[in-house]
């Protein structure tokens, strides 16, 4: 892979300039007013795949945004790596908290990224990380060192639940035939502490609506006499955790896979400073389920969080009113072997059952997905670990992440393939937040590490 590494060094500036151009297109999948930009981004990704020399590039239409698919075949007897990523991004709001506009990428230095980081929505999640693969494959093709076959499948609806990708995968099992799936859409511990993500949590997401009286009421005339939906919702939400921060929904933990003491001891070896963690977030202390460490609470344990809650008067000054309705959006992060549909049902039954007389409750499910784990004794994991060792000079630490990429569990179910999660972002990169960024160190390290994965994977499967 020497020629490949030389090629990367020679084209560093162009690799950065190209990513910056891609980051300028606001591909926000959640907001229909950006639809033209989402399509434009798909075209741009397809153009890049063509220009690096992929043999076959296709923009596959779906009921939603297109999936960009590409193939490069060396020899069908060699292994095939299927690269998955997403070109859509989260909305950029609240805009006023960005120190530079979300879709005008700039390089700035931070304490953690002294060599600079690209600030833009999607810089880390996932345009920057997805594009590392495009550039790594370019370097291998152009230097004549591609050791195996590669397929790309880049979607535009990850941030809204990947519904159409699920359908696409089911309908294209033959086309997507591969030996392993490679994804960079997660993180690592620190720039001097490489790690590989070995697990993702599942997700069940619901929206609740609590209705009291049939219209807004004067809080003096009716206060104290009727159920106030906001008071009631607050109380219902608060009751979903007990004093130990266990979730109170009956049956919620029934299928949770508990880790053995050995596994927990192994996990505890990963470097983690509670003090630094609190300091980075300006908090006096952490908060969570009794009996588990912060690392465990954020990865191997299921959780329930309100993501938004609203109702009543929130404008200037004071308006004395009892609102007719109150709302909340609630996410539950799941672990193996919790079934998202079952959990959603348990939530619905429980939430309806605890509603007092005088209110009506409606629960609407949103998207969800199952958790996933990658065993560290798989060939894919071993190849990835060797690749990191080569570029970081250190053995990577296996770490289970708290985030979700629901399609990963579907890859396993539908295609029978394990996914290797080679994430190069940092938790501090502010994904989904204002001032999202991606370190230049991380971008280039990703591009340099990926070719070694190809080489080791091909070698190990011989
Ligand atoms: N790339 C993230 C998931 C992620 C980030 C996993 C960091 C591990 C570490 C992905 O784009 C994402 O945001 N997923 C959503 C779920 C999806 C169904 C909207 C999430 O985790 O909230
Ligand atoms: Mn992502
Ligand atoms: Mn995301």
């Amino acid at each position: 892979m020497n020629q490949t590494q030389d090629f990367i060094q020679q084209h560093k500036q162009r690799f950065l300039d190209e990513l910056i151009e891609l980051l300028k297109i606001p591909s926000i999948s959640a907001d229909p007013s950006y639809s033209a930009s989402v399509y434009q981004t798909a075209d741009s990704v397809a153009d890049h795949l063509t220009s690096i020399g992929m043999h076959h590039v296709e923009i596959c239409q779906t009921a939603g945004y297109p999936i960009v698919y590409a193939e490069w075949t060396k020899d069908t007897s060699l292994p095939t790596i299927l690269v998955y990523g997403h070109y859509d991004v989260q909305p950029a709001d609240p805009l006023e908290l960005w120190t530079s506009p979300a879709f005008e990428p700039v390089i700035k230095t931070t304490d953690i990224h002294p060599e600079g980081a690209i600030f833009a929505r999607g810089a880390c999640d996932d345009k920057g990380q997805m594009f590392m693969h495009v550039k790594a494959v370019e370097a291998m093709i152009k230097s004549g060192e591609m050791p195996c076959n590669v397929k790309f499948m880049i979607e535009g609806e990850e941030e809204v639940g990947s519904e159409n990708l699920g359908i696409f995968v089911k309908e294209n099992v033959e086309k997507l035939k591969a030996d392993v799936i490679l994804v960079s859409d997660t993180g690592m511990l620190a720039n001097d502490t490489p790690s590989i993500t070995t697990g993702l949590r599942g997700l069940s997401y619901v929206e609740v609506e609590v209705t009291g009286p049939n219209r807004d009421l004067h809080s003096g005339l009716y206060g104290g006499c009727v159920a106030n939906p906001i008071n009631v919702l607050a109380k219902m939400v608060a009751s979903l955790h007990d004093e130990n921060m266990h979730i109170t929904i009956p049956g919620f933990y029934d299928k949770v896979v508990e880790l053995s003491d050995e596994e927990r001891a192994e996990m505890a070896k990963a470097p983690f400073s509670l003090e630094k963690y609190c300091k980075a977030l300006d908090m006096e202390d952490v908060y969570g389920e009794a009996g588990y460490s912060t690392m465990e609470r954020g990865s191997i344990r299921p959780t329930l969080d309100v993501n938004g809650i609203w109702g009543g008067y929130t404008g200037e000054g004071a308006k004395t009113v009892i609102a007719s309705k109150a709302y909340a959006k609630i996410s539950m992060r799941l672990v193996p072997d919790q079934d998202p549909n079952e959990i959603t049902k348990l939530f619905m039954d429980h939430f309806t059952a605890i509603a007092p007389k005088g209110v009506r409750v409606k629960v609407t499910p949103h998207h969800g997905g199952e958790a996933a784990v990658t065993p560290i004794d798989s060939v894919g994991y071993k190849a990835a670990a060797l690749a990191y060792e080569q570029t970081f000079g250190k053995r990577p630490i296996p770490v289970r992440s708290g985030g979700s990429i629901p399609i990963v569990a579907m890859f396993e179910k539908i295609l029978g393939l394990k996914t290797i999660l080679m994430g190069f972002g940092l938790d501090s990169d502010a994904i989904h937040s204002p001032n999202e960024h991606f370190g230049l160190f991380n971008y280039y390290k990703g591009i340099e590490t990926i070719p070694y994965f190809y080489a080791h994977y091909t070698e190990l499967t011989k």
Side-chain angles (χ1 to χ4, degrees):
M1 288 286 158
N2 289 337
Q3 314 268 65
T4 301
Q5 298 297 334
D6 288 347
F7 186 93
I8 294 169
Q9 298 314 318
Q10 283 154 15
H11 294 86
K12 270 190 146 168
Q13 189 57 46
R14 175 172 61 82
F15 286 2
L16 180 58
D17 296 342
E18 287 173 352
L19 173 58
I20 286 174
E21 287 310 306
L22 194 63
L23 289 168
K24 286 182 185 169
I25 322 171
S27 51
I28 303 170
S29 51
D31 185 345
S33 66
Y34 287 89
S35 151
S37 293
V38 186
Y39 283 105
Q40 192 195 334
T41 310
D43 290 342
S44 173
V45 171
D47 290 346
H48 275 292
L49 288 166
T50 304
S51 78
I52 65 166
M54 293 296 292
H55 294 149
H56 169 83
V57 180
E58 218 182 310
I59 295 180
C60 307
Q61 299 304 329
T62 71
Y65 290 121
I67 293 158
V68 183
Y69 178 80
E71 284 176 2
W72 189 93
T73 310
K74 185 183 178 82
D75 178 340
T76 49
S77 68
L78 287 166
T80 301
I81 295 171
L82 173 58
V83 177
Y84 162 78
H86 61 97
Y87 64 80
D88 63 321
V89 301
Q90 284 276 327
D93 60 278
L95 299 181
E96 66 281 7
L97 295 183
W98 284 79
T99 55
S100 53
F103 297 104
E104 293 172 27
V106 281
I107 314 282
K108 288 184 264 194
T109 58
T110 70
D111 290 348
I112 291 179
H113 296 294
E115 65 300 290
I118 321 164
F119 280 71
R121 170 56 83 234
C124 178
D125 184 11
D126 180 41
K127 281 178 180 163
Q129 296 214 68
M130 172 272 287
F131 205 61
M132 296 180 318
H133 289 269
V134 180
K135 296 296 100 179
V137 170
E138 173 184 348
M140 287 185 279
I141 293 178
K142 300 236 170 110
S143 51
E145 289 184 336
M146 266 296 278
C148 59
N149 312 311
V150 63
K151 294 177 177 175
F152 277 87
M153 177 171 65
I154 313 296
E155 71 154 321
E157 298 186 306
E158 196 277 342
E159 300 292 8
V160 292
S162 300
E163 238 170 83
N164 292 302
L165 181 71
I167 298 169
F168 180 82
V169 172
K170 279 188 197 132
E171 288 175 352
N172 291 281
V173 174
E174 199 50 41
K175 185 184 191 116
L176 299 173
K177 237 179 128 193
D179 295 275
V180 69
I181 295 175
L182 186 58
V183 177
S184 293
D185 192 23
T186 57
M188 59 179 195
L189 289 171
N191 284 356
D192 59 0
T193 318
S195 61
I196 297 175
T197 307
T198 52
L200 292 163
R201 285 196 284 196
L203 183 68
S204 158
Y205 201 113
V206 294
E207 186 163 333
V208 301
E209 179 191 281
V210 176
T211 308
N214 61 3
R215 61 182 171 88
D216 288 4
L217 301 173
H218 188 287
S219 67
L221 299 183
Y222 288 93
C225 308
V226 300
N228 176 331
I230 303 176
N231 293 11
V232 168
L233 175 60
K235 200 168 168 179
M236 289 169 73
V237 162
S239 79
L240 296 175
H241 291 96
D242 69 13
E243 65 286 359
N244 288 317
M245 282 299 282
H246 290 303
I247 294 155
T248 55
I249 300 168
F252 186 83
Y253 292 99
D254 283 1
K255 296 202 172 156
V256 168
V257 174
E258 300 276 350
L259 265 64
S260 67
D261 290 347
E262 287 84 358
E263 284 172 300
R264 291 182 69 184
E266 197 53 44
M267 255 190 89
K269 284 188 192 158
F272 177 78
S273 156
L274 200 58
E275 199 192 325
K276 278 193 195 152
Y277 186 88
C278 289
K279 206 168 161 234
L281 301 175
D282 273 328
M283 310 177 309
E284 208 178 304
D285 206 352
V286 291
Y287 186 88
E289 189 182 4
Y292 295 93
S293 70
T294 298
M295 282 272 251
E296 291 174 334
R297 290 169 180 169
S299 62
I300 59 158
R301 296 299 294 165
T303 57
L304 182 151
D305 277 290
V306 177
N307 293 247
I309 186 161
W310 70 102
Y313 183 68
T314 55
E316 281 293 307
K319 177 187 178 190
T320 48
V321 68
I322 293 173
S324 164
K325 287 177 188 287
Y327 307 84
K329 290 185 193 275
I330 298 173
S331 67
M332 288 163 278
R333 295 283 168 172
L334 311 177
V335 299
D337 292 327
Q338 287 178 299
D339 176 333
N341 294 323
E342 257 173 57
I343 294 293
T344 301
K345 171 89 172 47
L346 292 176
F347 178 94
M348 279 181 159
D349 292 348
H350 179 67
F351 209 70
T352 312
I354 61 172
K357 280 207 181 98
V359 301
R360 275 166 290 135
V361 167
K362 195 169 108 191
V363 181
T364 313
H366 284 276
H367 51 69
E370 284 174 38
V373 277
T374 312
I376 61 170
D377 57 6
S378 64
V379 179
Y381 183 90
K382 283 182 190 157
L386 287 170
Y388 278 66
E389 244 185 291
Q390 242 167 314
T391 52
F392 285 88
K394 275 183 195 177
R395 185 168 279 273
I397 300 170
V399 173
R400 276 173 60 168
S401 169
S404 307
I405 310 176
I407 200 68
V408 170
M410 296 188 64
F411 287 152
E412 187 163 356
K413 269 202 175 149
I414 303 167
L415 303 175
L417 295 178
K418 280 285 179 196
T419 297
I420 304 303
L421 297 156
M422 288 179 53
F424 291 89
L426 299 180
D427 282 357
S428 54
D429 287 347
I431 63 171
H432 294 203
S433 274
N435 305 311
E436 173 176 354
H437 54 278
F438 190 37
L440 295 182
F441 170 90
N442 305 69
Y443 181 53
Y444 292 127
K445 203 57 126 181
I447 298 172
E448 289 158 21
T449 308
I450 291 163
Y452 290 118
F453 174 82
Y454 282 61
H456 288 297
Y457 189 80
T458 308
E459 196 54 38
L460 290 176
T461 48
K462 258 187 191 154

